[in-house]
Amino acid sequence: LFRSDLWSFNDEIVVRAAAESEIPLISAVGHETDTTLIDYAADVRAPTPTGAAEMAVPVRAELEAQLSSLAARLSGSVLRQMDNRRQGVRALVRALPSLDQLLALPRRRFDEAASGLGRGLEITALNKRRAFERSASGLRPETLLNGLKHHRQRITERMHRAETLVERRLLQGKGRVDAFDSALRSLPARLLGQLERQKERVVTASRRADTAVLHRMAQNRSGLAAHDRILQSLSYKNVLNRGYAVIRDDENRPLTRAAAIASGAVVSMEFADGRVSAITTGERTPSPDTPVALKKKPVKPASSDPGNQGSLF
């Protein structure tokens, strides 16, 4: 069971503060049998406050003894490490070959090359001498003369071939020139023939064009005649032939209504066979086809008394 006087050390705020403390914390609450939550949050738990004081302030002699023990252990560890490294180096040295062993193979190769150098020089000199003798054997006067003779023959053959080729080309060129000459001589006759044919074509085309133009003019003339007949059929002069006349004022404007003619005005009347001038006199008479305006029926004034509606009979 927890003691009630130690219950404050179980508070969450206190426990969290102890856990978040950056300073090392020694828990020594109550006696050894008393346990609180702060004991689990602290860095070290002491059974009693006296034990906590001993932990916080240890005895100097004990500290010196502990330091001496640690120093002795450190020194022994360093010595053992150095001894182990020394033994490892010695083992590596024993495994390495000696200087004589390292130089034995290059020395043997050098001796072999030195022993074969003299023989190689002799063989090389002998090969060079033989090659020189072979080259010198080909430099005799007879060989040179034979070579010159052979080259002279080749040059002669090529010159002969060149002359033959030139003659052949000249003959071909002469044949072409003769062909061009004959073609040029016959050119005027061919040109005259072509001109005659072109002239005949032009004459034929001109005749065809004249025929087409005449035919087109006849068609246009027929069309104009048809349009003229249509125009005459639509002209007002055909109406004059049926007994009508066109009346114009002194400015030659047609008059379409009697109201536009004043008394004593000079007018001209156009008939089918000519015009006649006249002076208007008399009064204007309405045309029999003019509609007569109907007289309006008098409207009976409405009664001012809204209650008296009158009689329907």
Side-chain angles (χ1 to χ4, degrees), residues 178-190:
D178 294 340
F180 289 150
D181 186 23
S182 60
L184 290 174
R185 290 179 181 178
S186 61
L187 182 61
R190 286 187 295 174

Side-chain angles (χ1 to χ4, degrees), residues 8-295:
S8 59
F9 294 99
N10 294 325
D11 189 76
E12 181 181 359
I13 298 175
V14 177
V15 175
R16 288 184 178 275
E20 296 175 357
S21 176
E22 297 181 357
I23 301 174
L25 184 63
I26 301 174
S27 174
V29 179
H31 297 284
E32 186 175 0
T33 58
D34 298 326
T35 303
T36 59
L37 294 178
I38 199 173
D39 295 337
Y40 299 100
D43 297 305
V44 179
R45 179 182 181 275
T48 59
T50 304
E54 292 177 355
M55 290 181 182
V57 185
V59 181
R60 180 177 180 180
E62 294 179 356
L63 289 176
E64 290 178 353
Q66 186 177 2
L67 289 175
S68 299
S69 176
L70 293 175
R73 292 176 60 186
L74 179 61
S75 177
S77 176
V78 171
L79 292 176
R80 284 193 300 272
Q81 289 289 337
M82 292 179 65
D83 190 17
N84 293 333
R85 296 293 178 86
R86 189 179 296 109
Q87 291 179 1
V89 171
R90 289 175 181 174
L92 292 175
V93 170
R94 286 194 299 270
L96 290 175
S98 62
L99 182 61
D100 294 337
Q101 293 176 351
L102 292 174
L103 297 177
L105 182 60
R107 186 182 292 112
R108 185 172 63 252
R109 292 178 180 175
F110 178 77
D111 294 339
E112 292 176 356
S115 62
L117 183 60
R119 181 61 179 172
L121 290 175
E122 293 178 359
I123 294 174
T124 302
L126 181 60
N127 292 332
K128 295 295 183 180
R129 185 179 293 107
R130 290 176 180 176
F132 178 74
E133 290 176 355
R134 286 195 300 269
S135 301
S137 62
L139 297 176
R140 291 179 299 177
E142 293 81 2
T143 306
L144 295 176
L145 292 175
N146 291 332
L148 290 174
K149 184 178 180 180
H150 178 67
H151 287 295
R152 188 180 292 110
Q153 289 178 356
R154 292 180 61 184
I155 292 173
T156 303
E157 292 177 357
R158 291 183 179 180
M159 290 180 64
H160 180 68
R161 291 178 183 176
E163 291 176 357
T164 305
L165 181 61
V166 169
E167 291 178 358
R168 188 182 303 167
R169 293 290 178 86
L170 289 175
L171 291 175
Q172 292 178 357
K174 184 178 180 181
R176 292 178 181 176
V177 170
D178 294 340
F180 289 150
D181 186 23
S182 60
L184 290 174
R185 290 179 181 178
S186 61
L187 182 61
R190 286 187 295 174
L191 291 177
L192 290 175
Q194 292 179 0
L195 289 175
E196 290 294 334
R197 288 192 295 272
Q198 293 293 336
K199 184 177 180 181
E200 292 177 359
R201 292 177 182 176
V202 171
V203 171
T204 303
S206 177
R207 291 176 181 175
R208 291 179 180 177
D210 293 341
T211 304
V213 170
L214 293 175
H215 181 67
R216 186 65 177 176
M217 290 178 65
Q219 290 180 351
N220 292 337
R221 190 179 294 107
S222 300
L224 289 174
H227 289 306
D228 184 60
R229 288 192 297 271
I230 294 173
L231 183 61
Q232 289 180 2
S233 64
L234 297 177
S235 178
Y236 71 95
K237 293 183 178 181
N238 291 330
V239 180
L240 298 180
N241 291 329
R242 295 199 296 268
Y244 292 92
V246 178
I247 301 175
R248 293 184 174 87
D249 58 5
D250 54 354
E251 295 181 358
N252 201 24
R253 292 179 299 182
L255 301 174
T256 58
R257 295 185 177 277
I261 303 174
S263 178
V266 178
V267 297
S268 64
M269 294 180 291
E270 182 181 359
F271 297 93
D273 56 350
R275 290 190 179 188
V276 176
S277 298
I279 298 175
T280 59
T281 58
E283 296 180 356
R284 184 176 67 252
T285 58
S287 175
D289 297 334
T290 303
V292 179
L294 299 177
K295 294 183 179 180

